[in-house]
Amino acid sequence: MWVDLSRQEWKTVKYPAEWALMYVGGRGLAARLLWEYMPVGADPLGPENLLIMAVGPLSGLPGPSTGKLQVAAKSPLTGGYGDGNVGTYMSIEMRKAGIDAIVFSGASRQPVTVVVEGNRVSFEPADDLWGLDTWTTEERLRKRYGRFAGIVEIGPAGENLVKFATIISQEGRSGGRPGIGAVMGSKKLKAVVVRGSSKADLYDERSYNSQAAKALVEIKGRPGYPFWMRQGTMATIDWAQETSVLPAYNFNEGVFDEFKGIDGFTMESMKIEQRGCPNCNMQCGNVVLDSTGVKSELDYENVALLGSNLGIGKLADVAFLNRLADQFGMDTESLGTTLSWAVEASQEGFLKGYGASLEWGDVKAFTELTKEIVNRSTLLGDLLAEASSGACRRAGGCELSMDVKGLGVSAYDCHAAPGMALSFATSPIGAHHKDAWVISWEVQHDRFSYGREKAAKVIELQRIRGMFESFTTCRLPWVEVGLSLDHYPLLLYYATGVKYTWDDLYAVADRTYALIRALWVREKGGWSRDYDMPPVKWFKKPLTKGPLAGAKLDYDKYNQLLDHYYELRGWDRNGVPTRDTLHRLGLDFVIPTLEKYVKLS
Ligand code: PTT
Ligand code: SF4
């Protein structure tokens, strides 16, 4: 579905069947659409950027945690490819409408809600919704379009082009960390509503349903399932503290004295509700009351980056900041890394011109600052709305900014985890853990090594995890309770009639990675391995607390690890896929463009 917001026109387009085979769907499809149809060097916040909402062949079907939607665009935060994964009924409704991707081009002059019903589109004025928070927006739209309509929206952060604004659904689901919500805001697109009227057409529906039922039963029977249902991702706080990877004080430390006040057991004692994405039998949205008595849905990343990393040891306070981020429609992780940068930068004297004097743990100051960021209402708020990576380019203090390619790092300290540092550094969207959460393997297997096997493990995880972005289903059934990966090729076969082995799927993942890398090279106008370096702090400033005090990364050894990674991927020593690799992956079509920017090996 192609929706031109400037002209308020729409059309349905059949894309080449070959693309479905080459990329499977979701992320891969989005990357190809951006490569083909986004003008080179597009302004991420200009009408020429494309906002893509895509499902994959398993999204929205009955089955293991399938209620996910991929949102992608050129990122205003990083200037490269950006995407995110949102749990939402929209995935189900898009399948019922027979739509694989909605591509939004142009920009509306007035705030608008795009409503897709079946295969028809209408453009509804959204002046009454503009300025409202995400919860109120969705509540109003649900009254109009029904409880189970597929709805995603932005809040004031997206409207005000905060560089880490996200797209929100169902109050606590958020996607698009690299500022995909700001892209939506730049198009004056307040919300999207989808209602499908038929049923996804499956190759062998009976076998699909039986395979899906087997997977669901297997999930519930896994030994880790009962504890997962108690704590979800929040169990990670205690583990991260034990292994010295819990970010504290802007990633200066990997342990936090007050971790018990924000851990999974404290969450359990406060839990009042459990919810999550549609089509999921391992609901992990744990809801507590925040310090003002309002509901807030917690996850590990949110709590570590808005808690220990800001020096806050009370879960109700963390829940409060988390809830603000959901309502304003901004990424909790970048809010955390930006506020923690602001504290350290102010203590180091970089923010004198901005009147900032910040202390760790000052919830009141962080609350005010969050509001100033969302509204860009003060000099400091406007600065921090650019995220730590953008703010430090104006104010100084980039050595304190914990980001890769502009995106703030997720909640794992890597002073003593070179493999995880590599995975942040080579993630296709910037420092997100989603593509390779190698850290749990790493702390069990020679965590201080920089050997080739570590680069290989990062790639193995990037392949598997990358495929979940293309199936566009949740990866947690596999990651967290150990659902067998064997279900997925079968589910794909019964859904589409196409037989893939996991080796075939690895090739799809490699192709998608190489295409995304090509997109980065094209949009940056060249490439250097400096883009694949983790934050400098992990090399320069050792940990001072905990059992690993004194640990830091080794620069030369990290470079060797990166060399192994490039070699195993078939990329040159600057991190650009070689001609042979591009040819092997069926990506010859990117070669003429890449030759304009780099010397291909
Ligand atoms: C994801 C990132 C994560 S990853 C978290 S907590 W995590 C943060 N959650 C936020 C939030 O909440 N509110 C908010 N305003 N901003 C937030 N930013 C952060 O966003 C999420 C789950 C989680 S919880 C994880 S690990 C898994 N992520 C998946 C993924 O990336 N791909 C995939 N195929 N399956 C996944 N399953 C899990 O989904 P981004 P969600 Mg998310 C309150 O958005 O941009 O991908 O960043 O999607 O529906 O909220 O589910 O300990
Ligand atoms: Fe959503 Fe959690 Fe279920 Fe994954 S496990 S689909 S994140 S509720």
Side-chain angles (χ1 to χ4, degrees), residues 68 85 87 173-174 176 326 330-332 432 469 473 475:
K68 291 278 193 182
N85 200 286
R173 305 279 121 199
S174 157
D326 282 345
M330 67 212 288
D331 175 28
T332 49
H432 200 315
E469 304 313 316
T473 66
R475 64 168 184 267

Side-chain angles (χ1 to χ4, degrees), residues 303-371:
V303 172
L305 289 170
L306 293 173
S308 49
N309 202 41
L310 293 177
I312 301 176
K314 241 177 98 188
L315 196 58
D317 288 336
V318 179
F320 174 70
L321 291 173
N322 174 70
R323 194 253 300 168
L324 289 185
D326 282 345
Q327 288 182 317
F328 291 144
M330 67 212 288
D331 175 28
T332 49
E333 298 195 51
S334 288
L335 178 63
T337 52
T338 298
L339 291 175
S340 66
W341 172 82
V343 176
E344 199 175 358
S346 92
Q347 293 180 350
E348 298 281 328
F350 289 105
L351 296 180
K352 280 195 189 119
Y354 294 85
S357 164
L358 297 165
E359 298 291 335
W360 298 115
D362 189 344
V363 181
K364 205 163 156 246
F366 296 144
T367 306
E368 288 314 308
L369 256 185
T370 302
K371 291 178 183 163

Side-chain angles (χ1 to χ4, degrees), residues 64-68 85-88 173 228 233 275-285 297 299 473-477 480:
S65 307
T66 61
K68 291 278 193 182
N85 200 286
V86 202
T88 170
R173 305 279 121 199
W228 170 262
T233 60
R275 58 191 184 201
C277 312
N279 285 2
C280 175
N281 67 347
M282 37 188 290
Q283 300 277 294
C284 68
E297 190 179 320
D299 269 303
T473 66
C474 182
R475 64 168 184 267
L476 297 185
E480 300 289 353

Side-chain angles (χ1 to χ4, degrees), residues 474-551:
C474 182
R475 64 168 184 267
L476 297 185
W478 163 65
V479 177
E480 300 289 353
V481 301
L483 175 70
S484 165
L485 285 174
D486 294 343
H487 289 285
Y488 289 92
L490 288 168
L491 289 169
L492 273 179
Y493 175 59
Y494 297 135
T496 65
V498 182
K499 279 192 174 156
Y500 291 98
T501 62
W502 264 104
D503 281 341
D504 301 329
L505 294 172
Y506 283 175
V508 172
D510 287 352
R511 181 176 300 124
T512 304
Y513 256 63
L515 178 60
I516 291 176
R517 181 50 62 110
L519 203 49
W520 273 95
V521 174
R522 185 185 92 173
E523 295 306 312
K524 290 284 179 187
W527 198 253
S528 111
R529 58 194 283 141
D530 292 348
Y531 285 119
D532 294 333
M533 295 304 282
V536 71
K537 182 183 278 182
W538 288 333
F539 295 106
K540 287 198 168 169
K541 237 179 145 187
L543 296 173
T544 69
K545 286 174 145 189
L548 297 180

Side-chain angles (χ1 to χ4, degrees), residues 377-562:
S377 57
T378 58
L379 202 56
L380 184 59
D382 188 47
L383 178 81
L384 298 180
E386 299 297 303
S388 65
S389 52
C392 77
R393 284 200 293 273
R394 278 196 214 158
C398 281
E399 292 215 341
L400 310 176
S401 173
M402 298 306 292
D403 72 274
V404 175
K405 300 181 180 71
L407 182 69
V409 288
S410 307
Y412 305 94
D413 185 81
C414 293
H415 279 92
M420 191 64 211
L422 177 72
S423 120
F424 279 139
T426 57
S427 149
I429 61 166
H432 200 315
H433 66 291
K434 72 170 158 189
D435 277 78
W437 193 67
V438 74
I439 196 150
S440 69
W441 176 88
E442 185 167 36
V443 296
Q444 288 168 23
H445 297 85
D446 194 3
R447 78 186 273 184
F448 298 102
S449 131
Y450 292 75
R452 193 180 165 83
E453 75 292 346
K454 230 171 225 186
K457 188 70 189 176
V458 168
I459 292 172
E460 180 194 326
L461 289 180
Q462 288 178 335
R463 284 177 171 153
I464 302 173
R465 289 173 159 249
M467 277 320 298
F468 282 94
E469 304 313 316
S470 292
F471 304 150
T472 315
T473 66
C474 182
R475 64 168 184 267
L476 297 185
W478 163 65
V479 177
E480 300 289 353
V481 301
L483 175 70
S484 165
L485 285 174
D486 294 343
H487 289 285
Y488 289 92
L490 288 168
L491 289 169
L492 273 179
Y493 175 59
Y494 297 135
T496 65
V498 182
K499 279 192 174 156
Y500 291 98
T501 62
W502 264 104
D503 281 341
D504 301 329
L505 294 172
Y506 283 175
V508 172
D510 287 352
R511 181 176 300 124
T512 304
Y513 256 63
L515 178 60
I516 291 176
R517 181 50 62 110
L519 203 49
W520 273 95
V521 174
R522 185 185 92 173
E523 295 306 312
K524 290 284 179 187
W527 198 253
S528 111
R529 58 194 283 141
D530 292 348
Y531 285 119
D532 294 333
M533 295 304 282
V536 71
K537 182 183 278 182
W538 288 333
F539 295 106
K540 287 198 168 169
K541 237 179 145 187
L543 296 173
T544 69
K545 286 174 145 189
L548 297 180
K552 64 181 169 79
L553 293 180
D554 182 301
Y555 186 78
D556 293 335
K557 288 185 185 163
Y558 176 82
N559 267 300
Q560 281 166 22
L561 185 62
L562 189 58

Side-chain angles (χ1 to χ4, degrees), residues 25-206:
R27 170 189 273 177
L29 178 59
R32 182 69 190 250
L33 288 165
L34 286 170
W35 179 271
E36 293 292 332
Y37 300 112
M38 184 184 71
V40 178
D43 172 0
L45 296 176
E48 61 271 30
N49 198 1
L50 301 178
L51 170 65
I52 298 168
M53 299 186 182
V55 289
L58 301 182
S59 314
L61 302 178
S65 307
T66 61
K68 291 278 193 182
L69 175 75
Q70 200 68 222
V71 292
K74 179 172 176 181
S75 158
L77 181 58
T78 67
Y81 173 81
D83 70 21
N85 200 286
V86 202
T88 170
Y89 283 106
M90 193 158 135
S91 56
I92 298 174
E93 295 302 310
M94 276 177 69
R95 296 308 302 277
K96 281 172 34 188
I99 299 168
D100 290 349
I102 309 179
V103 181
F104 296 95
S105 64
S108 176
R109 282 212 193 115
Q110 299 300 326
V112 68
T113 296
V114 165
V115 181
V116 181
E117 303 210 61
N119 62 0
R120 299 194 60 76
V121 174
S122 57
F123 298 84
E124 308 292 337
D127 306 79
D128 57 329
L129 300 176
W130 201 251
L132 294 182
D133 68 61
T134 61
W135 292 12
T136 315
T137 302
E138 192 159 326
E139 194 191 342
R140 293 218 186 151
L141 290 171
R142 286 214 177 278
K143 278 197 187 129
R144 259 180 249 166
Y145 297 101
R147 195 166 150 220
F148 296 110
I151 300 174
V152 295
E153 69 277 336
I154 54 166
E159 296 170 12
N160 296 329
L161 311 182
V162 172
K163 292 280 170 63
F164 48 95
T166 55
I167 296 176
I168 303 280
S169 192
Q170 300 180 201
E171 297 192 349
R173 305 279 121 199
S174 157
R177 291 193 56 217
I180 309 302
V183 176
M184 191 157 158
S186 72
K187 297 188 177 303
K188 287 262 187 314
L189 178 59
K190 178 68 179 173
V192 181
V193 180
V194 180
R195 288 198 299 196
S197 50
S198 61
K199 209 164 126 209
D201 193 10
L202 302 189
Y203 171 70
D204 177 351
E205 193 173 347
R206 252 175 81 174

